[in-house]
Amino acid sequence: MENERQEQILVGIAGQDRPGVTASVTEILARHDAQILDIGQADIHSTLSLGILFRIKERLSGQVMKELLFKATELNINIDFKPISDEEYEEWVCQQGKNRYILTIIGRQLSAKQISVAAKAIRDQGLNIDSIKRLTGRRSLKHPERNSQACIEFSMRGTPNSLAEMQSQLMLLSSEMSFDFSIQRDDMFRRMRRLICFDMDSTLIQTECIDELAERAGVGQQVRAITESAMRGEIDFSESFRQRVALLKGLDASVMKDIAEKMPITEGVDRLMTVLKQCGYKIAILSGGFTYFGKFLQQKYNIDYVYANELEIDDDGKLTGQYKGVIVDGNRKAELLKLIAQVEKVDLAQTIAVGDGANDLPMISEAGLGIAFHAKPRVVANAKQAINTIGLDGVLYFLGFKDSYLNM
């Protein structure tokens, strides 16, 4: 009976989740030598949804379904069966070669409206949702402050009509409805990121160190005006840098220690750095700011690389209004990202760059995953991923991390 006819049956199980349901069902299938072709399970608010597609000898299928029905009654769960023809099965198998993408949406809260517009954007591109996962922890009704952010990840399959169109549509909607999003190809590189490069000022810290120095030097207003113009991309960064540093001439260098100790760390940085180091990521600061402050953060968070600008100090401990070496501008940041990746033997597709200003765009564009963080409009418009609603630890959700294994 080697050529005995076989058939495929899709069994669906729903009901109150409890230990042993999957074991009981698969035990029956194993006893009759069934071949499991696909299996999936989800649990929502202790309600189980389990699907199993199995192939079995036709003469045994009736007995198997009978035993599964008895077991379902015993376990007080609902069960249904659907025959799958050979043609239907082969058509399903052929879909395995289709492109896969991940859409991640993040916000302080996610309402039905926000989830609906994301799902509609997926539908409009002709993509199929294979699975939906909540990456953030469960929100308490009595203590909502304990989970101050929400994240949902859609796994999608198919060939989109236009990813650029989907990106533009979600960019507009995210701005209007206060959520962040990321669209990534679901390939091996997404699961194997290894190097992350951060801008420092207004990214890792909630200030511009040159502005802090300028305040101490009594030239705060002039320097802030130049800084804001440069960050908007209105004037060349290198020229603006030279102008601002020149205004600091005569300032006592000792003030840098006080500024460093009082730097406001961005929300989520402590958590982000802890997880990245524990997971073996190499971390770099690539900053148009100053080395002194980058080194301070390096010691605090065990950061691997720091590249920034060195202020020149005279023999009396005063700033000269000059700098040492090559200015770390936008192009230099992109070069450094590629150089560190080469040193660490990391493919560029495995790199991440995070920044907020126009001078961060080159490295954001170069990296495998470029993220604009609470960025200027020009930067958000040119970055494929953006975080504007939550802290810097939102980067972890774009990498696929779940709160359930981030609470360390």
Side-chain angles (χ1 to χ4, degrees):
M1 302 180 67
E2 290 183 4
N3 297 322
E4 198 171 343
R5 285 179 58 85
Q6 298 196 55
E7 63 178 331
Q8 295 76 232
I9 298 173
L10 176 62
V11 56
I13 294 169
Q16 187 74 18
D17 194 15
R18 71 190 71 183
V21 173
T22 304
S24 298
V25 172
T26 54
E27 183 180 358
I28 293 171
L29 296 176
R31 194 159 56 240
H32 293 279
D33 202 25
Q35 179 185 1
I36 293 181
L37 303 176
D38 195 21
I39 185 168
Q41 179 173 314
D43 184 274
I44 300 175
H45 195 63
S46 298
T47 299
L48 171 71
S49 177
L50 170 63
I52 301 176
L53 176 61
F54 65 92
R55 182 172 171 82
I56 194 167
K57 293 173 182 177
E58 202 173 65
R59 63 182 173 83
L60 297 177
S61 60
Q63 179 63 29
V64 168
M65 288 189 283
K66 179 180 177 182
E67 291 183 28
L68 287 172
L69 279 169
F70 280 133
K71 180 57 68 173
T73 301
E74 179 185 324
L75 296 173
N76 194 27
I77 54 176
N78 298 315
I79 190 167
D80 60 64
F81 305 97
K82 180 184 178 182
I84 304 295
S85 69
D86 291 357
E87 292 75 19
E88 288 176 308
Y89 177 75
E90 286 303 318
E91 183 180 349
W92 174 76
V93 168
C94 289
Q95 294 177 9
Q96 291 181 124
K98 288 191 175 181
N99 295 324
R100 304 189 70 86
Y101 297 89
I102 296 292
L103 170 62
T104 310
I105 61 171
I106 307 174
R108 290 294 177 186
Q109 298 182 51
L110 290 177
S111 67
K113 287 183 179 180
Q114 292 161 320
I115 296 171
S116 174
V117 297
K120 183 177 183 297
I122 295 170
R123 182 196 65 192
D124 291 347
Q125 291 301 315
L127 295 168
N128 186 66
I129 299 173
D130 278 348
S131 66
I132 303 173
K133 290 193 295 186
R134 173 177 47 82
L135 301 186
T136 41
R138 295 167 180 161
R139 191 176 185 88
S140 169
L141 297 178
K142 293 183 178 180
H143 304 283
E145 72 283 353
R146 292 179 183 172
N147 287 94
S148 60
Q149 49 204 27
C151 177
I152 291 175
E153 180 184 277
F154 297 86
S155 177
M156 308 171 295
R157 173 172 35 85
T159 302
N161 301 324
S162 170
L163 270 184
E165 180 184 303
M166 186 178 184
Q167 187 88 25
S168 298
Q169 180 185 2
L170 286 172
M171 185 72 74
L172 178 63
L173 290 167
S174 66
S175 177
E176 292 175 352
M177 302 179 69
S178 297
F179 69 91
D180 303 321
F181 74 94
S182 164
I183 304 172
Q184 300 177 61
R185 185 179 289 274
D186 191 12
D187 55 22
M188 67 176 184
F189 293 116
R190 177 181 176 267
R191 303 168 190 276
M192 297 174 63
R193 309 287 188 197
R194 287 295 174 265
L195 168 65
I196 183 165
C197 298
F198 293 99
D199 173 49
M200 179 173 64
D201 298 46
S202 297
T203 299
L204 292 175
I205 56 175
Q206 293 179 302
T207 188
E208 295 285 329
C209 289
I210 197 165
D211 292 348
E212 298 291 334
L213 289 168
E215 287 295 331
R216 305 296 181 97
V219 292
Q221 188 172 348
Q222 299 99 300
V223 167
R224 270 197 306 275
I226 300 171
T227 298
E228 290 169 4
S229 182
M231 296 300 281
R232 290 192 299 266
E234 296 170 351
I235 58 175
D236 174 72
F237 176 82
S238 295
E239 179 56 34
S240 74
F241 180 80
R242 282 188 280 269
Q243 292 178 19
R244 289 177 289 173
V245 170
L247 290 169
L248 302 178
K249 184 178 180 179
L251 179 65
D252 196 310
S254 64
V255 303
M256 290 196 288
K257 182 176 186 295
D258 182 58
I259 292 172
E261 291 173 346
K262 295 176 180 176
M263 287 190 301
I265 303 298
T266 299
E267 176 193 356
V269 167
D270 289 351
R271 183 187 192 217
L272 173 62
M273 291 298 180
T274 298
V275 173
L276 291 175
K277 293 307 295 185
Q278 289 189 353
C279 293
Y281 280 75
K282 292 295 181 180
I283 305 172
I285 291 176
L286 307 182
S287 173
F290 301 116
T291 306
Y292 184 92
F293 305 105
K295 295 288 187 183
F296 183 89
L297 292 176
Q298 182 177 36
Q299 292 184 348
K300 181 178 178 68
Y301 294 113
N302 191 26
I303 290 168
D304 301 283
Y305 298 91
V306 173
Y307 290 94
N309 299 297
E310 186 75 33
L311 288 168
E312 186 178 80
I313 303 172
D314 65 21
D315 293 338
D316 296 323
K318 307 287 186 182
L319 301 185
T320 67
Q322 300 294 319
Y323 58 90
K324 298 178 182 179
V326 179
I327 295 175
V328 180
D329 60 6
N331 290 331
R332 181 62 176 155
K333 288 186 178 187
E335 291 170 1
L336 288 165
L337 181 146
K338 290 187 284 187
L339 178 62
I340 297 171
Q342 185 177 359
V343 169
E344 294 292 341
K345 296 180 173 57
V346 170
D347 191 288
L348 271 178
Q350 295 175 276
T351 64
I352 309 159
V354 187
D356 73 297
N359 67 321
D360 296 313
L361 274 174
M363 73 169 181
I364 286 174
S365 300
E366 196 72 54
L369 178 65
I371 303 171
F373 178 73
H374 289 261
K376 311 302 180 287
R378 178 188 167 194
V379 183
V380 173
N382 286 276
K384 292 184 178 179
Q385 279 77 219
I387 296 176
N388 295 304
T389 62
I390 66 172
L392 200 59
D393 55 340
V395 170
L396 295 170
Y397 301 126
F398 285 174
L399 299 179
F401 285 90
K402 295 184 67 175
D403 277 355
S404 57
Y405 48 84
L406 290 181
N407 297 321
M408 45 186 68

